[in-house]
Amino acid sequence: MNNPEENIIPHAASVLKQGGLVAFPTETVYGLGADASNPAALAKLYETKGRPTNHPVIVHVHDISQLPAWAVDIPPEAYRLAEAFWPGPMTLILRKASHVLPMVTGGQETVGIRIPDHPVALSLLEAFGGGIAAPSANLFGRLSPTRPEDLDPVLLLHVDCVLPGDAGHVGLESTIIDLSGEGQPRVLRPGMLLSTEIEAVLGYEMNIKTLESHTIRTPGSLASHYAPHTPLQLVDSHELAATIQSLQVAKPSLRVAVLVHNSSFSKNPFPDAVLLKTLPDDPPEYARQLYHTLHELDQYGAGILIVETPPSGMAWAAVHDRLRRASKIPPPTATCNHDND
Ligand code: TXA
Ligand code: MG
């Protein structure tokens, strides 16, 4: 980085080596990083996030050549996907190497690995040299941050270094693909890397049915989710006006925040006590801005946050997944139970 803060990367790497925590930008969301080989650093990471220790974390690495340091029995498909999509918003679940700590894997026989596509994250990984365990840099159950200003002040009390960075160009957490089993690869968490793009590299269609039978050991309850503080409700476009009106009739003092994607609503046809934000009607752009916009709307102190249900279709699958979890509605198929992370 050509700026006065160029020493910050070596500083952040030494913080990690000493067992500290570093918040760093990625192309998806901010990560809260710790040395993936240091049990004390991992304990601090879990404590800071308020996350149960049997939840696995993703190990971030700098280079595909580091895969065998973390995983064994790596299938050829893993290398094909890695060559095609790394650095990028994809996490591969592989069988773990024997030394990988149970705090990284949640006590399972598998490990999640990814190479993020962000210059700051890659510089940090290169300077550090090892694997960085990094969940999203939010308190357990809360919204993921995509910008430094959206990092929770309570979380920051325990973070030793925050690396600055632009908002990620993806904006939603990585697509997680399980390649650890005997059968075909499975998508455990939808992301902005789409199944069709994955299948184009694999050369065959993934068996969607297997999603429903897959279970991994993560505690999950619908009460905890990727949630803003303001209760969030998804409402179909044609019911927006009536829903807002009836909320205001029932409780005139209620402040309502509304998030739409349909430009026909952008002139705010709703009554005065409504704060309206419009996101682009384009899945990648909507996804890129979603978390920051939800953070902004959360500041407004509204009694309820109404979100216009996005269009259906594969390009919107990850957006739907996150909004459903934020509104406490379970996803249609039981994918990875990641609603608390
Ligand atoms: O984009 C991302 O993936 C971000 C950035 C920071 O890289 N990270 C992220 O981490 O979203 P986190 O911890 O918030 O979510 C990781 C998800 C969890 O749902 C966890 O259960 C799943 O990955 N995961 C990690 N290791 C796993 C494993 N071995 N088997 C199954 N799921 C795993
Ligand atoms: Mg998370």
Side-chain angles (χ1 to χ4, degrees):
M1 288 191 293
N2 293 326
N3 64 42
E5 294 179 337
E6 63 186 13
N7 288 334
I8 198 167
I9 294 288
H11 168 70
S14 77
V15 165
L16 289 173
K17 283 178 188 153
Q18 288 159 34
L21 301 184
V22 175
F24 63 97
T26 82
E27 82 282 31
T28 59
V29 300
Y30 253 77
L32 182 59
D35 179 351
S37 304
N38 180 337
L42 292 167
K44 188 176 175 194
L45 176 66
Y46 277 90
E47 197 180 327
T48 298
K49 255 193 84 103
R51 174 165 161 160
T53 48
N54 60 352
H55 255 225
V57 282
I58 296 168
V59 177
H60 296 67
V61 296
H62 180 262
D63 200 275
I64 294 178
S65 64
Q66 290 168 283
L67 268 188
W70 295 94
V72 292
D73 302 334
I74 304 170
E77 282 108 322
Y79 283 106
R80 293 224 303 277
L81 292 172
E83 295 286 353
F85 299 121
W86 278 346
M90 173 184 79
T91 295
L92 297 182
I93 306 296
L94 300 166
R95 298 187 66 75
K96 75 174 187 74
S98 58
H99 68 86
V100 183
L101 296 168
M103 279 183 107
V104 168
T105 65
Q108 301 175 98
E109 287 305 306
T110 58
V111 61
I113 305 176
R114 104 175 179 96
I115 303 180
D117 183 17
H118 193 290
V120 174
L122 287 170
S123 301
L124 176 66
L125 285 160
E126 189 170 27
F128 178 62
I132 302 179
S136 48
N138 51 281
L139 293 172
F140 186 63
R142 291 286 157 209
L143 281 180
S144 300
T146 49
R147 300 189 187 195
E149 65 264 34
D150 295 335
L151 290 162
D152 191 311
V154 173
L155 185 98
L156 288 180
L157 289 175
H158 307 279
V159 175
D160 303 290
C161 175
V162 178
L163 292 179
D166 298 335
H169 60 267
V170 176
L172 293 185
E173 297 85 350
S174 57
T175 303
I176 300 181
I177 309 168
D178 184 3
L179 287 153
S180 68
E182 298 292 313
Q184 286 185 352
R186 291 174 290 201
V187 173
L188 302 185
R189 176 173 74 183
M192 295 311 287
L193 176 66
L194 307 181
S195 298
T196 44
E197 298 174 87
I198 299 164
E199 288 169 344
V201 169
L202 291 173
Y204 53 79
E205 283 182 23
M206 287 182 287
N207 184 354
I208 304 294
K209 280 189 190 139
T210 56
L211 288 176
E212 289 167 38
S213 58
H214 184 79
T215 52
I216 58 162
R217 178 138 40 92
T218 52
S221 79
L222 296 175
S224 43
H225 40 276
Y226 290 97
H229 293 276
T230 317
L232 186 152
Q233 191 183 334
L234 278 166
V235 176
D236 289 344
S237 312
H238 65 277
E239 289 170 356
L240 269 181
T243 303
I244 294 166
Q245 200 184 8
S246 65
L247 279 167
Q248 292 188 321
V249 167
K251 197 172 176 200
S253 61
L254 187 75
R255 288 175 11 131
V256 184
V258 182
L259 177 60
V260 296
H261 57 83
N262 187 330
S263 53
S264 63
F265 293 125
S266 58
K267 287 212 176 92
N268 199 352
F270 310 119
D272 289 345
V274 171
L275 174 79
L276 184 87
K277 290 241 178 213
T278 308
L279 285 178
D281 198 2
D282 164 66
E285 198 47 38
Y286 185 109
R288 197 175 71 75
Q289 297 180 31
L290 177 62
Y291 281 141
H292 178 62
T293 305
L294 290 176
H295 275 279
E296 279 184 334
L297 287 166
D298 224 7
Q299 305 296 314
Y300 179 66
I304 187 157
L305 168 54
I306 302 284
V307 178
E308 180 187 10
T309 309
S312 50
M314 185 198 297
W316 290 96
V319 165
H320 269 279
D321 175 77
R322 306 308 189 273
L323 286 174
R324 280 173 170 276
R325 292 172 192 277
S327 65
K328 306 187 191 182
I329 302 170
T333 52
T335 55
C336 165
N337 199 354
H338 60 93
D339 49 357
N340 317 73
D341 301 313

